[in-house]
Amino acid sequence: VKKYKNKKKEGDYFDGISFAPTLLGKVGQQKHEFLYWEFHETDQIGVRMGDWKLVVKKGIPLLYNLSTDIHEDRDIAAEHPEIVKQMKEIIRSQHIPNELFQVTLPEF
């Protein structure tokens, strides 16, 4: 994973993995361990880790297994507290507070 950092601002960076191998038809595309995003407009956080997807809506975590529930119809957070905990730790490690782009974090 390559990180590009703005040296003038603390915590201002983006990272990524080149998808050129996929475009060129090569095998062995490198993958992220997880994907993380925030939508302050709707007060939502998302984490994708393999087939697991955690969506936090206004602080409430909802867990989906996309291999069996592609439309995210059935929240299974109560059935998999260990996965929810792991994904909440990702949120804790990735979230950077910003007064202009606020989201409600889940309880840790």
Side-chain angles (χ1 to χ4, degrees), residues 1-73:
V1 176
K2 191 163 189 172
K3 253 186 193 179
Y4 300 90
K5 184 167 179 128
N6 181 343
K7 294 178 173 84
K8 296 177 185 177
K9 293 184 176 181
E10 182 63 31
D12 187 6
Y13 64 88
F14 64 94
D15 60 13
I17 295 173
S18 171
F19 61 95
T22 297
L23 296 175
L24 298 171
K26 296 181 180 177
V27 295
Q29 171 67 56
Q30 185 181 358
K31 294 184 179 182
H32 285 279
E33 180 183 344
F34 61 85
L35 299 173
Y36 174 82
W37 59 98
E38 297 181 1
F39 297 101
H40 75 279
E41 303 89 347
T42 56
D43 195 5
Q44 294 187 57
I45 300 169
V47 180
R48 173 84 188 259
M49 189 176 66
D51 288 330
W52 297 108
K53 181 177 178 185
L54 185 77
V55 178
V56 179
K57 295 181 180 182
K58 299 183 180 179
I60 312 251
L62 307 165
L63 181 68
Y64 305 100
N65 183 339
L66 298 180
S67 69
T68 58
D69 182 14
I70 193 69
H71 298 290
E72 302 172 19
D73 294 321

